[in-house]
Protein backbone atom coordinates (compact mmCIF):
# COMPACT_ATOMS: atom_id res chain seq x y z
CA UNK A 1 0.00 0.00 0.00
CA UNK A 2 1.28 3.44 -0.94
CA UNK A 3 2.36 5.79 1.84
CA UNK A 4 2.77 9.56 2.07
CA UNK A 5 6.24 10.24 3.40
CA UNK A 6 5.44 13.48 5.21
CA UNK A 7 8.92 13.98 6.65
CA UNK A 8 10.58 13.67 3.24
CA UNK A 9 7.97 15.87 1.50
CA UNK A 10 8.39 18.62 4.09
CA UNK A 11 12.16 18.46 3.68
CA UNK A 12 11.56 19.07 -0.03
CA UNK A 13 9.05 21.84 0.78
CA UNK A 14 6.27 19.94 -0.93
CA UNK A 15 3.00 20.46 0.92
CA UNK A 16 0.41 19.06 -1.45
CA UNK A 17 0.12 16.66 -4.30
CA UNK A 18 -1.90 14.02 -6.02
CA UNK A 19 -1.51 10.31 -6.05
CA UNK A 20 -3.21 7.37 -7.63
CA UNK A 21 -3.07 3.89 -6.28
CA UNK A 22 -4.81 0.64 -6.78
CA UNK A 23 -5.13 -2.21 -4.36
CA UNK A 24 -6.77 -5.57 -4.03
CA UNK A 25 -9.34 -5.40 -1.23
CA UNK A 26 -9.14 -7.95 1.54
CA UNK A 27 -11.45 -10.93 1.43
CA UNK A 28 -14.52 -10.69 3.61
CA UNK A 29 -15.15 -6.94 3.26
CA UNK A 30 -17.91 -7.65 0.81
CA UNK A 31 -20.98 -9.34 2.28
CA UNK A 32 -23.14 -9.78 -0.85
CA UNK A 33 -23.65 -13.49 -1.65
CA UNK A 34 -22.08 -14.70 -4.93
CA UNK A 35 -20.58 -11.29 -5.66
CA UNK A 36 -16.90 -10.37 -5.77
CA UNK A 37 -14.59 -7.57 -6.81
CA UNK A 38 -13.74 -7.49 -10.48
CA UNK A 39 -10.18 -6.19 -10.49
CA UNK A 40 -8.49 -3.83 -8.05
CA UNK A 41 -9.94 -0.79 -6.29
CA UNK A 42 -8.56 2.41 -7.85
CA UNK A 43 -8.09 5.51 -5.69
CA UNK A 44 -7.47 9.04 -6.98
CA UNK A 45 -6.32 11.11 -4.03
CA UNK A 46 -5.13 14.58 -3.18
CA UNK A 47 -3.17 15.30 -0.02
CA UNK A 48 -2.30 18.49 1.79
CA UNK A 49 0.16 18.91 4.66
CA UNK A 50 -0.83 21.75 6.97
CA UNK A 51 1.40 23.91 9.15
CA UNK A 52 0.44 21.98 12.27
CA UNK A 53 1.50 18.72 10.52
CA UNK A 54 -2.09 17.58 10.01
CA UNK A 55 -2.41 15.82 6.70
CA UNK A 56 -5.69 15.90 4.81
CA UNK A 57 -6.34 13.18 2.25
CA UNK A 58 -9.38 13.31 0.01
CA UNK A 59 -10.54 12.02 -3.32
CA UNK A 60 -12.43 9.06 -4.64
CA UNK A 61 -12.28 5.31 -4.99
CA UNK A 62 -13.71 3.35 -7.89
CA UNK A 63 -14.36 -0.35 -7.98
CA UNK A 64 -16.37 -2.87 -9.96
CA UNK A 65 -18.49 -5.65 -8.53
CA UNK A 66 -19.39 -8.73 -10.49
CA UNK A 67 -21.52 -11.76 -9.69
CA UNK A 68 -25.10 -12.86 -9.22
CA UNK A 69 -27.88 -10.27 -9.14
CA UNK A 70 -29.19 -10.09 -5.56
CA UNK A 71 -32.75 -10.27 -6.88
CA UNK A 72 -32.84 -12.70 -9.81
CA UNK A 73 -29.36 -14.30 -9.76
CA UNK A 74 -28.62 -13.26 -13.37
CA UNK A 75 -25.03 -12.23 -14.06
CA UNK A 76 -24.52 -8.62 -13.00
CA UNK A 77 -21.64 -6.16 -13.11
CA UNK A 78 -21.55 -2.56 -11.98
CA UNK A 79 -18.92 0.07 -11.25
CA UNK A 80 -19.22 2.13 -8.07
CA UNK A 81 -17.51 5.30 -6.89
CA UNK A 82 -17.10 6.37 -3.27
CA UNK A 83 -15.66 9.37 -1.52
CA UNK A 84 -12.44 9.38 0.44
CA UNK A 85 -11.84 11.82 3.27
CA UNK A 86 -9.35 11.43 6.07
CA UNK A 87 -7.46 13.68 8.43
CA UNK A 88 -4.19 12.40 9.89
CA UNK A 89 -2.67 13.86 13.05
CA UNK A 90 0.70 13.14 14.54
CA UNK A 91 1.46 11.21 16.61
CA UNK A 92 -2.06 10.04 17.51
CA UNK A 93 -5.51 10.41 16.01
CA UNK A 94 -8.42 11.38 18.26
CA UNK A 95 -10.85 8.69 17.17
CA UNK A 96 -12.32 10.80 14.40
CA UNK A 97 -8.91 11.32 12.85
CA UNK A 98 -6.12 8.89 12.05
CA UNK A 99 -2.69 8.96 13.62
CA UNK A 100 0.68 8.86 11.86
CA UNK A 101 4.38 9.04 12.63
CA UNK A 102 6.49 10.56 9.84
CA UNK A 103 4.73 8.49 7.21
CA UNK A 104 0.97 8.42 6.51
CA UNK A 105 -0.20 4.87 5.90
CA UNK A 106 -3.24 4.82 3.66
CA UNK A 107 -4.41 1.26 4.32
CA UNK A 108 -6.91 1.98 7.08
CA UNK A 109 -8.41 4.99 5.28
CA UNK A 110 -8.76 2.96 2.09
CA UNK A 111 -10.45 0.14 3.98
CA UNK A 112 -12.86 2.52 5.75
CA UNK A 113 -13.67 4.39 2.53
CA UNK A 114 -14.35 1.15 0.74
CA UNK A 115 -16.59 -0.18 3.51
CA UNK A 116 -18.57 3.04 3.38
CA UNK A 117 -18.91 2.88 -0.42
CA UNK A 118 -19.94 -0.77 -0.69
CA UNK A 119 -23.56 -1.20 -1.78
CA UNK A 120 -25.82 -3.52 0.24
CA UNK A 121 -26.54 -5.56 -2.91
CA UNK A 122 -25.82 -5.85 -6.60
CA UNK A 123 -28.59 -5.67 -9.22
CA UNK A 124 -28.55 -6.57 -12.90
CA UNK A 125 -29.74 -4.03 -15.48
CA UNK A 126 -33.20 -5.57 -15.72
CA UNK A 127 -33.82 -5.54 -11.96
CA UNK A 128 -32.49 -1.97 -11.68
CA UNK A 129 -35.06 -0.92 -14.26
CA UNK A 130 -37.84 -2.89 -12.59
CA UNK A 131 -37.15 -1.20 -9.25
CA UNK A 132 -37.10 2.23 -10.89
CA UNK A 133 -40.50 1.48 -12.38
CA UNK A 134 -41.82 0.41 -9.00
CA UNK A 135 -42.32 -3.25 -9.84
CA UNK A 136 -41.48 -6.04 -7.49
ZN1 LIG B 1 -31.62 -9.22 -11.67
Amino acid sequence: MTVIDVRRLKAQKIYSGELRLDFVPEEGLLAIPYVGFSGPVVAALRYEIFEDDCVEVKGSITFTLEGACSRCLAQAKETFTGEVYGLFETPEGDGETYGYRNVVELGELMRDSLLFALPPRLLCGQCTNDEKNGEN
Side-chain angles (χ1 to χ4, degrees):
M1 184 67 73
T2 309
V3 300
I4 300 171
D5 190 336
V6 178
R7 188 164 56 178
R8 187 172 60 81
L9 288 166
K10 284 178 67 180
Q12 296 173 344
K13 302 202 186 317
I14 297 170
Y15 300 104
S16 65
E18 290 178 0
L19 55 101
R20 284 180 71 85
L21 61 117
D22 51 51
F23 63 96
V24 177
E26 60 188 270
E27 297 279 327
L29 278 186
L30 188 61
I32 310 173
Y34 312 115
V35 173
F37 289 95
S38 172
V41 179
V42 177
L45 305 174
R46 180 162 184 84
Y47 64 85
E48 188 161 355
I49 304 167
F50 296 113
E51 271 178 38
D52 62 358
D53 285 338
C54 272
V55 181
E56 183 186 66
V57 179
K58 57 186 175 183
S60 64
I61 49 170
T62 304
F63 57 92
T64 301
L65 299 182
E66 187 171 18
C69 172
S70 303
R71 215 160 156 258
C72 75
L73 296 181
Q75 188 65 18
K77 187 174 183 177
E78 190 176 346
T79 298
F80 299 87
T81 299
E83 277 189 35
V84 175
Y85 183 84
L87 200 59
F88 293 79
E89 294 183 290
T90 188
E92 304 281 341
D94 68 2
E96 306 234 324
T97 60
Y98 302 89
Y100 81 93
R101 286 164 202 263
N102 298 321
V103 170
V104 167
E105 311 256 5
L106 292 168
E108 197 182 350
L109 174 61
M110 290 298 99
R111 186 181 189 281
D112 289 348
S113 302
L114 183 57
L115 274 175
F116 198 71
L118 285 176
R121 59 187 185 161
L122 180 67
L123 293 182
C124 69
Q126 183 62 50
C127 288
T128 304
N129 281 337
D130 287 354
E131 296 224 334
K132 268 188 203 146
N133 297 331
E135 294 171 26
N136 291 306

